[in-house]
Amino acid sequence: MIEPYANLYRANLTRADLYRANLVMADLTDANLYRANLTDANLYRANLTEANLTEANLTGARLTGVNLTGADLFMADLTRANLTEANLTGANLTGATLTGATLTGARLTGATLTEADLTWANLSRANLSRANLTEANLTGANLTGARLTGATLNWASHDLVSAILFGAAGDCEAKRQLAGLVIISRDWCWPAFASLDLDIELRAWAVSVLATYIQDGDTAPAILRRAASKEVA
């Protein structure tokens, strides 16, 4: 029976049934948890550095303060998991399901979230610097206070673009209204927004704010790139 503070360094737990297991502060560094069942498990402040959690089931798991630096969570299911203040620096979350997950204050610096499902996830105050969010689904996600410096964005995400504008809007009513318009107009694409009859200064502000997030080779729309180039010129 696995108990709190357990030493499971490099343990082979492939397909292990750890349903509701108590792994508080356990050392799972470099452990193999491929397809393991960790549903509702308690991993409070556990060390999972470089662990293999590919396709693992972590539905409802308590991962508060856990260290997942460099962990592989490819296609893992983290639905409703609590990752408050978790360290996911450099973690691979490609295709992972994080629907309704709590990532408040989590560190996701350099993490790969390509095609991850973050629907209704709470990412408030999360550090997503240099994270890859290409094709990530952020519908309904809470991005209040999230840090996105150097991140590769999903430019088709209304929630992400709105959060960036809202974070830079301050108390300006017009700027906040524009940010709100983006999130409620989910049926609009970039050409529709580009054709809006906006005040020149408001348009310039929006372009300048969004332009700082454009990365070489990302999916930023040509309309935005052109507008940003004109603003710089």
Side-chain angles (χ1 to χ4, degrees):
M1 179 178 177
I2 298 176
E3 298 179 346
Y5 305 95
N7 184 357
L8 295 162
Y9 175 72
R10 288 190 173 178
N12 185 358
L13 296 163
T14 301
R15 299 178 188 272
D17 186 2
L18 297 165
Y19 172 70
R20 287 191 174 178
N22 189 345
L23 292 158
V24 171
M25 297 185 76
D27 185 1
L28 288 148
T29 303
D30 206 24
N32 187 355
L33 289 146
Y34 171 73
R35 286 198 172 183
N37 180 15
L38 289 151
T39 303
D40 292 331
N42 188 351
L43 289 135
Y44 172 76
R45 294 189 66 184
N47 189 351
L48 287 139
T49 302
E50 302 288 343
N52 178 12
L53 289 146
T54 301
E55 297 182 31
N57 187 351
L58 291 138
T59 302
R62 184 184 179 190
L63 295 153
T64 308
V66 73
N67 189 351
L68 283 156
T69 302
D72 191 351
L73 290 139
F74 175 80
M75 296 294 289
D77 189 349
L78 291 135
T79 301
R80 299 187 309 281
N82 188 345
L83 290 137
T84 301
E85 304 291 342
N87 187 350
L88 290 136
T89 301
N92 178 18
L93 289 142
T94 302
T97 300
L98 292 128
T99 306
T102 301
L103 292 134
T104 305
R107 191 183 308 168
L108 291 142
T109 307
T112 301
L113 291 147
T114 305
E115 298 182 354
D117 186 355
L118 289 149
T119 305
W120 299 110
N122 187 349
L123 288 151
S124 58
R125 297 187 292 103
N127 188 346
L128 289 150
S129 299
R130 302 191 306 281
N132 189 341
L133 291 157
T134 304
E135 295 185 33
N137 185 351
L138 290 145
T139 302
N142 181 356
L143 290 151
T144 305
R147 188 181 305 174
L148 292 156
T149 306
T152 301
L153 307 184
N154 174 6
W155 286 99
S157 171
H158 288 71
D159 297 81
L160 195 53
V161 173
S162 175
I164 290 171
L165 292 174
F166 192 82
D171 293 326
C172 177
E173 183 178 347
K175 293 175 181 178
R176 292 166 73 94
Q177 286 178 343
L178 179 58
L181 180 63
V182 171
I183 202 166
I184 65 172
S185 304
R186 296 185 184 278
D187 57 328
W188 286 13
C189 295
W190 281 98
F193 288 112
S195 65
L196 288 173
D197 185 19
L198 298 177
D199 174 83
I200 294 176
E201 290 186 3
L202 181 61
R203 181 184 295 275
W205 167 79
V207 170
S208 65
V209 169
L210 296 175
T212 62
Y213 292 91
I214 297 175
Q215 301 292 325
D216 290 338
D218 71 4
T219 59
I223 289 173
L224 179 59
R225 287 187 185 276
R226 287 195 299 269
S229 296
K230 289 179 181 177
E231 289 300 322
V232 171

